[in-house]
Amino acid sequence: MKSLKEKILKEGVAIGTEIVKVDHFLNHRLDVKFLEEVGAEFKKRFKDDEINKILTVEASGIAVASLTAPYFDYAPVVFAKKAAPNTMTEGFYVAEAKSFTKGTVSLLRVSERFLKEGDKVLIIDDFLAHGQASLALADLVEQAGGKVVGVGAVIEKGFQGGSERLRAKGYRVESLAVIDNIEEGRIIFK
Amino acid sequence: MKSLKEKILKEGVAIGTEIVKVDHFLNHRLDVKFLEEVGAEFKKRFKDDEINKILTVEASGIAVASLTAPYFDYAPVVFAKKAAPNTMTEGFYVAEAKSFTKGTVSLLRVSERFLKEGDKVLIIDDFLAHGQASLALADLVEQAGGKVVGVGAVIEKGFQGGSERLRAKGYRVESLAVIDNIEEGRIIFK
């Protein structure tokens, strides 16, 4: 997605060799008009697929998923939670997601009421890095007996191997911008 | 907002005397089409106000704020963070928000780059309970030298005093549904 790459180059900041900071439009401040274009692009990539649910994880995935849903006939969005809230009194599916950047392991949870057998799920996230969050989300879908139609990431850090891990498990991956490398503060796309 | 009250009665679950669980459309599963109506209603309430920024807090506020922004000429949405991320390397405003339900204190942070002197800010959140999150968000706006135009909450738990606390400080509050009481599993609106 050309406009996304231009935006990353214009507004993104490379930190060290592994981190791209895009908090001007994606992770802290949200450019909603632009994220609608991102949603339209996901629709273009998955236009022939039957999708009845969009799954993401709090927090940064929520805006992207919410602004993508209108293009998929307002498919319900479900966001996995990283902590068990006091209102989550019933059963839930749970999967582990390791964060390499933070050095922590999160437990992602979705209520059993919101993922069902036969669901055709598009997984959406802001970043695809090592792929741990997406693998955990796919695990939740499959625990429920649903099918992962694909994984859509706004930005993929290609050098961290997430898409290879997902494809090795048979999942289709569509990343709207793939960063190949970060060299001396420069972001280099594939 | 009539359709919202109907939705709360139909899909909401009262737990004890203090908690209303609306995770079917607002807090875990998101009904995006309905949240667009919520956004339109906020515009109706604040139609004569000059607003150049929408501020919320992760996680559940993000969807509501993102789907409200289009009605305010795509004003940028900023969501306060509850943890300091490793990419937040520069200065930020910080304010304390106590959670009565969880018994914890969060530090809400917004980068100094995203709140400015002269900003006219609409604070949006999913719930208004004791008002601690909204008061902290208002504090962040004022630290930056901005003005809080108002606080818009989807659901207010009127019996927890948040709107009184906010109004006592001079803030305008618009709640789209005000719950007066929860009695024996029944949700009673004002």
Side-chain angles (χ1 to χ4, degrees):
Chain A
M1 189 180 174
K2 194 164 167 271
S3 59
L4 172 62
K5 289 180 189 168
E6 287 167 0
K7 207 165 171 76
I8 294 168
L9 290 179
K10 198 177 151 206
E11 301 177 10
V13 178
I15 301 176
T17 55
E18 301 220 336
I19 292 171
V20 180
K21 182 168 156 173
V22 283
D23 64 355
H24 194 266
F25 70 96
L26 187 61
N27 296 124
H28 186 14
R29 180 184 182 276
L30 301 169
D31 182 337
V32 170
K33 201 176 183 67
F34 185 75
L35 294 182
E36 286 182 349
E37 289 175 40
V38 162
E41 179 70 23
F42 281 130
K43 177 63 187 179
K44 230 164 91 181
R45 308 270 183 124
F46 290 99
K47 70 178 185 307
D48 298 323
D49 299 275
E50 208 184 313
I51 284 160
N52 76 327
K53 203 162 276 180
I54 295 174
L55 179 65
T56 188
V57 55
E58 60 182 4
S60 291
I62 295 175
V64 181
S66 298
L67 295 161
T68 295
Y71 298 98
F72 288 90
D73 294 321
Y74 290 95
V77 170
V78 176
F79 64 91
K81 307 218 170 196
K82 289 178 181 166
N86 52 0
T87 55
M88 210 180 224
T89 44
E90 75 291 327
F92 46 78
Y93 301 110
V94 56
E96 266 189 19
K98 192 174 168 182
S99 166
F100 284 86
T101 336
K102 295 178 193 157
T104 55
V105 174
S106 301
L107 290 179
L108 306 192
R109 289 177 176 82
V110 170
S111 164
E112 287 174 2
R113 290 175 297 133
F114 299 144
L115 281 176
K116 295 288 179 192
E117 200 179 329
D119 269 350
K120 294 178 176 66
V121 181
L122 174 61
I123 292 172
I124 290 284
D125 213 350
D126 55 337
F127 267 95
L128 172 58
H130 295 88
Q132 301 299 309
S134 295
L135 285 166
L137 292 174
D139 187 2
L140 295 173
V141 172
E142 288 170 359
Q143 284 180 43
K147 186 183 177 302
V148 176
V149 175
V151 176
V154 182
I155 302 175
E156 177 184 335
K157 294 195 278 182
F159 54 91
Q160 291 179 331
S163 62
E164 281 82 353
R165 269 175 215 113
L166 288 161
R167 287 184 183 121
K169 292 213 159 197
Y171 303 122
R172 180 175 158 204
V173 178
E174 292 285 345
S175 305
L176 307 191
V178 182
I179 296 173
D180 221 19
N181 211 348
I182 304 172
E183 271 177 23
E184 294 170 12
R186 278 177 56 230
I187 296 165
I188 298 157
F189 293 106
K190 196 174 162 180
Chain B
M1 189 181 175
K2 195 165 167 270
S3 59
L4 173 62
K5 289 180 188 168
E6 287 168 0
K7 207 166 171 75
I8 294 168
L9 290 178
K10 199 177 151 206
E11 301 176 11
V13 178
I15 302 176
T17 55
E18 302 220 336
I19 292 171
V20 180
K21 183 168 157 174
V22 283
D23 64 355
H24 194 266
F25 69 95
L26 189 60
N27 296 125
H28 186 14
R29 179 185 182 275
L30 301 169
D31 182 337
V32 171
K33 199 175 184 67
F34 185 74
L35 294 181
E36 285 183 349
E37 289 175 39
V38 162
E41 180 68 25
F42 280 129
K43 177 62 188 179
K44 230 164 91 180
R45 309 270 183 123
F46 291 99
K47 69 178 186 306
D48 298 323
D49 299 276
E50 208 184 312
I51 283 160
N52 76 327
K53 203 163 277 179
I54 295 174
L55 179 65
T56 188
V57 53
E58 60 182 2
S60 292
I62 295 175
V64 181
S66 297
L67 294 161
T68 295
Y71 297 98
F72 289 89
D73 294 322
Y74 290 93
V77 170
V78 176
F79 64 91
K81 306 218 171 197
K82 289 177 181 167
N86 52 359
T87 54
M88 210 178 222
T89 44
E90 75 291 327
F92 45 78
Y93 302 110
V94 56
E96 266 189 19
K98 192 174 167 182
S99 166
F100 285 85
T101 337
K102 294 178 193 157
T104 54
V105 175
S106 300
L107 291 180
L108 306 192
R109 289 179 176 81
V110 170
S111 165
E112 287 174 3
R113 289 175 296 134
F114 300 144
L115 281 176
K116 295 288 178 191
E117 199 179 331
D119 270 348
K120 295 177 177 65
V121 181
L122 175 60
I123 292 172
I124 290 284
D125 213 350
D126 54 339
F127 268 94
L128 173 58
H130 295 89
Q132 300 300 309
S134 296
L135 285 167
L137 292 174
D139 187 2
L140 296 172
V141 172
E142 289 170 358
Q143 284 179 44
K147 186 182 179 300
V148 177
V149 175
V151 176
V154 182
I155 302 175
E156 177 183 334
K157 294 195 277 182
F159 54 90
Q160 291 178 330
S163 62
E164 282 82 353
R165 270 176 215 113
L166 287 161
R167 287 183 183 122
K169 291 215 160 197
Y171 303 122
R172 178 173 161 206
V173 179
E174 291 285 345
S175 305
L176 306 191
V178 182
I179 296 173
D180 221 19
N181 212 348
I182 304 172
E183 272 177 21
E184 294 168 14
R186 278 176 56 230
I187 296 165
I188 297 157
F189 292 106
K190 197 174 164 182

